[in-house]
Amino acid sequence: MLNQVAKWCRKDKWRKYVTRRLPFLGWAPRYKPTWLLQDALAGITVGLTAVPQGIAYGTVAGLNPQYGLYAAFMPSFIYVIFGSCENITIGPTAIMATMVQPLVANYGADIAVLIAFLKGCIIAFLGIFHLGFLLDFISLPVITGFTSAAAINIASSQFKSLLGIPGRTESFLDSLKAIFNNLHEIRYEDTLLGVGTIVVLVLLKNIPGRRKGTIVQKIGWLLALSRNALVVIVGTVMAYLFYVNNPDNPFPFKLTGSMDQGLPPFAPPPFSTTFQNRTYEFLELTSAMGTTLFTIPIVSTIEHIAIAKAFAKGKSLDATQEMIALGICNIFGSFVRSMPVTGSFTRTAVNHASGVRTPLGGIFTGGLVLLALGLLTSTFRFIPKAVLAGLIICAMYYMLDFSTYTLLWHARKVDFIVMILTLFPCVFLGLEYGILIGILVNFVALLYFSAKPCIQTKIEQIEGETVIVVIPEEAVAFPAAERLRASIMKLSGESECNVILDCKNLKRIDVTVAKNLKLLAKDLSVRGQTIVCSNCCENIDVILRTVAPELLNVKENGAHHG
């Protein structure tokens, strides 16, 4: 044992392992001073997006707006140490916010902080034990249906704020009912401001510009990147000017309201809480989480890894390290009252477009969020709800992946149907139940096609004898065993020929399939026919020699001409 440890150390494997688990040790020694300006510019630009989005997503989660900012700074700092992808930014996202919202409504803010801690522990555990491969069983159609449904639910939850109607809604149908039942409460000031916000965001997004170009192109690029911050700043200034100059109607818009001043306390996550004069212990809180305790880590990891792969720029991605980093970000975040966090596609795209060189940009993003928390919380109360609603609705529209819908429809209708059967349950039953239904439907489809493998058949003349040649595809598993047997019996009954099972493409079978082939050989022998296997690879040969050696006995079965 000691010799093995000594050998391991001599080969510097421990250094490679530590560098792999602390990626900053890899890029920090080769960091160039010229990169600092690029990382700072990218980090500040992302911060200008993270502040308004954090406030918006805190509101989506049913929390006070500052919780979105609490969730934005600590993960930015932690990812610098543990993150392996320079483009990724971790923080609050719309999907995480909408998944915790029902729990927050029933149990208060503490449960969001606790689920961030538990989620972090689960994801880190999966990463440490290399269990991320389990996520490979969740297909693209299921992910697409889920994210599309999340976008629809989140956007619909902002309809009332967009129109100035008071109150919150729990689901897509609730939102539609609330609007039609409260048409008389629609406020034209909020509606004009909200719709105007969406129009401005779309126009700014489509401004032509380049990071490296003429002055005009650079200004266009900067306006497009900072559009979220710009609309929030303009809306806040408008609300403040009305407050100062119009004493008769100081608040023409519905406002976000006051936020707690200053930074959050650094303390362990709450393992019990008191909400509405009732105390909930740890076991009660975890029981209340139900399936959410498992779906949030799954969805969070899928979202994060998908974003990391999209921005890996051809580099190999260490998915295990990304899971560990995501888990640790949630764990540390829970110590500063953070809601659950994951990779953000919007902010990652901004980070990439800004030319970030290393994860060090997260220091500047987190620093800007801390600055906003420390100095600007009194200003945040003037942010109009309609502006945040317009910002969220616009962001959710761009989450709808129309190109993937078209791809699924033209490439494989079954995948498109799986996507639809994930999307509708997510919209109408809830995200947790919807993704479980989607995974189940996808699993049923997988089993269905595994029970119907592609099998080629042809009748050939070999050495003057007419035989049926059966060529299965790469793998035949137990669900297809009876079907394969029945198909060959039918073919041999129609032609009364001997059968050759050509295994040139076959790489895997199981004992059930081999046993059914043995029974098939007995059934055919009653008719005076034979079946033999040819061109078997080593795996197939070993199984058949153990279960049905007579299928490989060439001398006794003259029909074998492989």
Side-chain angles (χ1 to χ4, degrees):
M1 181 66 181
L2 291 175
N3 290 336
Q4 289 179 338
V5 172
K7 186 178 179 181
W8 188 70
C9 291
R10 280 197 302 270
K11 290 184 177 180
D12 287 339
K13 287 187 176 180
W14 66 274
R15 290 183 183 176
K16 293 180 181 178
Y17 180 80
V18 171
T19 302
R20 192 163 66 248
R21 294 295 166 250
L22 297 173
F24 83 97
L25 295 176
W27 56 261
R30 54 184 175 81
Y31 195 87
K32 298 178 181 179
T34 54
W35 293 355
L36 185 61
L37 182 61
Q38 291 175 271
D39 284 342
L41 176 63
I44 292 170
T45 306
V46 172
L48 290 174
T49 303
V51 171
Q53 282 194 343
I55 294 169
Y57 296 151
T59 304
V60 169
L63 299 161
N64 289 333
Q66 70 266 16
Y67 277 86
L69 298 181
Y70 295 165
F73 72 87
M74 181 62 81
S76 298
F77 296 146
I78 297 299
Y79 191 78
V80 172
I81 300 172
F82 294 97
S84 63
C85 182
E86 67 268 18
N87 293 299
I88 284 281
T89 62
I90 295 183
T93 66
I95 292 178
M96 291 295 99
T98 197
M99 290 185 77
V100 300
Q101 190 272 329
L103 293 171
V104 172
N106 294 321
Y107 298 95
D110 283 349
I111 198 169
V113 179
L114 178 61
I115 203 167
F117 174 78
L118 296 176
K119 165 194 159 184
C121 293
I122 292 170
I123 295 174
F125 175 85
L126 292 175
I128 290 170
F129 288 94
H130 300 273
L131 297 176
F133 75 92
L134 296 173
L135 299 175
D136 294 337
F137 289 94
I138 302 176
S139 65
L140 174 64
V142 173
I143 295 172
T144 302
F146 174 83
T147 52
S148 300
I152 293 169
N153 282 344
I154 294 163
S156 67
S157 72
Q158 299 303 306
F159 289 164
K160 292 182 74 174
S161 295
L162 187 79
L163 301 174
I165 300 172
R168 293 189 53 83
T169 52
E170 301 295 330
S171 66
F172 176 72
L173 290 178
D174 283 344
S175 299
L176 297 183
K177 289 178 184 177
I179 292 171
F180 285 108
N181 292 336
N182 297 279
L183 292 174
H184 59 285
E185 293 192 46
I186 292 177
R187 294 162 51 94
Y188 76 90
E189 301 97 331
D190 291 282
T191 304
L192 287 174
L193 183 62
V195 173
T197 298
I198 294 174
V199 171
V200 170
L201 285 170
V202 173
L203 292 176
L204 289 176
K205 179 178 173 62
N206 291 286
I207 288 179
R210 291 169 53 193
R211 186 168 64 89
K212 295 180 180 179
T214 64
I215 295 296
V216 175
Q217 289 175 326
K218 289 179 179 178
I219 292 174
W221 171 79
L222 189 59
L223 286 173
L225 282 179
S226 58
R227 62 187 181 276
N228 289 338
L230 286 175
V231 296
V232 172
I233 291 170
V234 171
T236 304
V237 170
M238 287 176 58
Y240 181 74
L241 291 176
F242 273 109
Y243 172 73
V244 172
N245 299 315
N246 191 9
D248 295 332
N249 185 20
F251 301 113
F253 310 118
K254 295 278 187 181
L255 302 181
T256 301
S258 61
M259 293 175 58
D260 290 349
Q261 185 72 32
L263 304 179
F266 188 85
F271 293 101
S272 64
T273 187
T274 300
F275 182 66
Q276 294 181 346
N277 298 321
R278 181 179 170 185
T279 299
Y280 297 92
E281 298 301 329
F282 177 73
L283 290 178
E284 290 179 281
L285 291 174
T286 52
S287 297
M289 293 174 190
T291 56
T292 305
L293 183 58
F294 303 101
T295 53
I296 277 193
I298 292 171
V299 171
S300 175
T301 308
I302 291 170
E303 189 176 4
H304 181 83
I305 297 299
I307 293 169
K309 286 180 178 178
F311 288 92
K313 297 188 296 186
K315 299 178 183 177
S316 60
L317 177 70
D318 189 343
T320 295
Q321 181 58 32
E322 283 302 306
M323 291 177 69
I324 293 172
L326 178 60
I328 294 174
C329 284
N330 278 275
I331 292 170
F332 274 82
S334 68
F335 282 77
V336 291
R337 305 288 296 170
S338 168
M339 59 191 278
V341 297
T342 189
S344 164
F345 189 89
T346 303
R347 297 191 294 278
T348 299
V350 169
N351 206 24
H352 173 68
S354 302
V356 72
R357 298 304 299 262
T358 68
L360 189 68
I363 294 289
F364 298 94
T365 299
L368 188 63
V369 174
L370 281 176
L371 189 65
L373 268 170
L375 301 179
L376 301 177
T377 46
S378 59
T379 307
F380 293 151
R381 65 186 287 262
F382 290 101
I383 299 175
K385 288 185 175 180
V387 170
L388 293 180
L391 188 154
I392 294 168
I393 290 170
C394 192
M396 293 307 101
Y397 172 77
Y398 290 111
M399 276 183 63
L400 298 175
D401 195 350
F402 295 103
S403 60
T404 301
Y405 308 154
T406 305
L407 175 70
L408 293 175
W409 174 257
H410 290 295
R412 194 165 181 254
K413 298 294 190 294
V414 171
D415 285 340
F416 183 84
I417 293 171
V418 170
M419 187 268 290
I420 292 295
L421 292 178
T422 304
L423 189 151
F424 281 98
C426 282
V427 169
F428 295 107
L429 300 179
L431 295 178
E432 295 91 345
Y433 293 112
I435 193 169
L436 291 175
I437 290 171
I439 292 171
L440 180 62
V441 169
N442 204 62
F443 187 64
V444 170
L446 184 66
L447 288 179
Y448 176 77
F449 287 107
S450 70
K452 296 180 64 177
C454 179
I455 299 173
Q456 299 178 27
T457 58
K458 54 186 177 180
I459 297 178
E460 290 186 355
Q461 288 284 335
I462 299 179
E463 297 181 3
E465 181 184 356
T466 303
V467 295
I468 301 171
V469 180
V470 179
I471 309 173
E473 62 178 10
E474 181 180 351
V476 179
F478 65 90
E482 190 58 42
R483 183 180 180 85
L484 176 65
R485 177 185 171 194
S487 298
I488 294 176
M489 283 295 292
K490 182 179 178 182
L491 284 169
S492 61
E494 292 171 353
S495 61
E496 298 182 352
C497 299
N498 292 326
V499 180
I500 294 177
L501 188 65
D502 190 343
C503 301
K504 63 182 179 181
N505 299 327
L506 196 60
K507 300 295 185 293
R508 294 184 305 277
I509 63 171
D510 54 38
V511 173
T512 305
V513 175
K515 190 73 174 176
N516 270 42
L517 289 175
K518 184 182 181 74
L519 295 173
L520 173 62
K522 291 181 179 179
D523 292 340
L524 289 174
S525 66
V526 174
R527 296 179 180 174
Q529 296 169 284
T530 60
I531 178 172
V532 291
C533 298
S534 66
N535 299 322
C536 296
C537 68
E538 185 177 352
N539 292 337
I540 307 297
D541 190 78
V542 168
I543 293 175
L544 290 179
R545 285 192 184 282
T546 305
V547 179
E550 63 272 19
L551 297 180
L552 299 171
N553 194 333
V554 180
K555 293 181 179 180
E556 290 183 14
N557 294 284
H560 181 196
H561 300 283

